[in-house]
Amino acid sequence: ERPTTIDEFREAFELRYGAEVAQMLRSKALQSFGSLQATAHRYLSALSEGRPFRLAFAGYSITVGRGNHYHQSYPFVLYHLLGPILEHTLELPLTVRNSAIGGIPSFPYGFCLEHFLGSANPDVVSWDYSMNEQGNTAVLESYIRRAQISFPATKPMILALDKHKGRCGLLRDYTEKGLLQDALCVAKSSEIIPKGNIEDKEEAELPQGLQQWKEFGAPKNCPGRGSWHPRKMEHAAIAWTMANYFVDALEVALAMQHN
């Protein structure tokens, strides 16, 4: 069963990945900027407006989930993980849009965000810089600006699947200058978890979240099963890692609601 409360989620996360790896994912794969209060306020604003909390994902083939079934891509795993918790704790519905397209860079894609991500103002806008556009910080700056202009009602949080020092530093700078309220960098799990934590152990010794780590979700004759694409269980790990931030923000929202 999926967790429906904050405590259930945290317990399930540690059980799923083991205490050591769970701590790695929380402390090393997540870089948050701005404030949890800003994200918490987004929850409460959606609730007061009687609308769903909206996450809109864009990016390349990694976000598409190539090599796996579409529903196994990390945006939809996050939807099925976070949705029941928001519904149970705040009675707040969640919608997730995965509009990633393989091989399409953030520009010119970024000039047409309303068409890709929907005309309904999203609360969170994402881009996947983890493989393509390496070393280029200017494209993220343009993407940030377009997202704020395209969706003025929410001025969405920026979520980057990325660990590039320059781009994550740019998100930090934008929040410190008050140009963004909140932002998040999330590294791919394979960039954080040492190979020895998986390869040096028998399958039966691994916690559930690290089992079948090298297996794609789609059949062997399906396209996209390249070594550069995350497998099914890594997509799940990325989603569980992201969910930690949104669950922390939910805890703050509940406290704000009761004050």
Side-chain angles (χ1 to χ4, degrees):
E1 294 184 6
R2 295 188 179 95
T4 58
T5 68
I6 292 171
D7 289 341
E8 286 176 359
F9 169 80
R10 289 173 177 161
E11 182 179 349
F13 180 66
E14 185 162 324
L15 182 64
R16 181 180 177 89
Y17 293 103
E20 181 184 2
V21 171
Q23 178 58 27
M24 287 181 193
L25 294 175
R26 276 191 64 94
S27 63
K28 296 182 179 180
L30 282 175
Q31 296 183 67
S32 61
F33 312 104
S35 69
L36 280 170
Q37 287 79 7
T39 310
H41 183 71
R42 294 185 186 280
Y43 286 143
L44 299 180
S45 293
L47 191 64
S48 67
E49 293 165 15
R51 62 170 179 83
F53 187 72
R54 306 184 185 108
L55 284 79
F57 289 84
Y60 289 92
S61 55
I62 286 178
T63 300
V64 171
R66 292 293 301 276
N68 306 284
H69 292 293
Y70 191 47
H71 70 274
Q72 294 167 339
S73 63
Y74 69 85
F76 292 130
V77 179
L78 179 62
Y79 167 75
H80 289 294
L81 180 59
L82 185 60
I85 301 173
L86 289 180
E87 189 71 50
H88 178 81
T89 56
L90 278 181
E91 297 185 359
L92 176 63
L94 174 69
T95 61
V96 170
R97 180 187 291 261
N98 184 353
S99 300
I101 305 173
I104 304 298
S106 59
F107 281 89
Y109 186 114
F111 283 110
C112 309
L113 291 181
E114 310 94 308
H115 302 286
F116 288 111
L117 303 183
S119 57
N121 283 250
D123 299 284
V124 180
V125 166
S126 177
W127 187 264
D128 162 22
Y129 286 98
S130 63
M131 185 172 69
N132 300 85
E133 302 181 78
Q134 287 295 323
N136 193 335
T137 301
V139 289
L140 174 58
E141 184 160 18
S142 297
Y143 195 81
I144 292 170
R145 295 185 182 199
R146 287 303 309 173
Q148 304 306 295
I149 293 170
S150 299
F151 307 114
T154 53
K155 293 190 178 298
M157 172 185 175
I158 302 296
L159 190 164
L161 185 65
D162 199 357
K163 68 179 185 68
H164 182 267
K165 184 176 180 180
R167 285 191 293 268
C168 293
L170 180 66
L171 290 175
R172 181 198 62 233
D173 292 345
Y174 263 60
T175 56
E176 288 179 352
K177 293 175 181 178
L179 302 172
L180 286 175
Q181 302 173 60
D182 42 5
L184 188 66
C185 269
V186 181
K188 290 184 294 185
S189 307
S190 58
E191 297 170 327
I192 299 301
I193 303 172
K195 290 183 179 180
N197 282 67
I198 300 174
E199 296 177 357
D200 293 349
K201 296 181 180 179
E202 297 294 330
E203 186 80 2
E205 297 176 331
L206 294 170
Q208 178 190 0
L210 302 181
Q211 293 177 7
Q212 301 177 328
W213 190 256
K214 293 186 177 181
E215 296 183 17
F216 283 102
K220 292 183 179 180
N221 61 345
C222 289
R225 296 166 63 93
S227 60
W228 55 93
H229 287 144
R231 274 68 165 174
K232 174 185 173 182
M233 295 304 284
E234 185 172 4
H235 273 276
I238 293 169
W240 276 82
T241 301
M242 288 180 176
N244 272 274
Y245 175 84
F246 289 103
V247 167
D248 288 350
L250 174 60
E251 187 172 44
V252 176
L254 291 172
M256 293 168 63
Q257 192 179 47
H258 292 144
N259 287 339

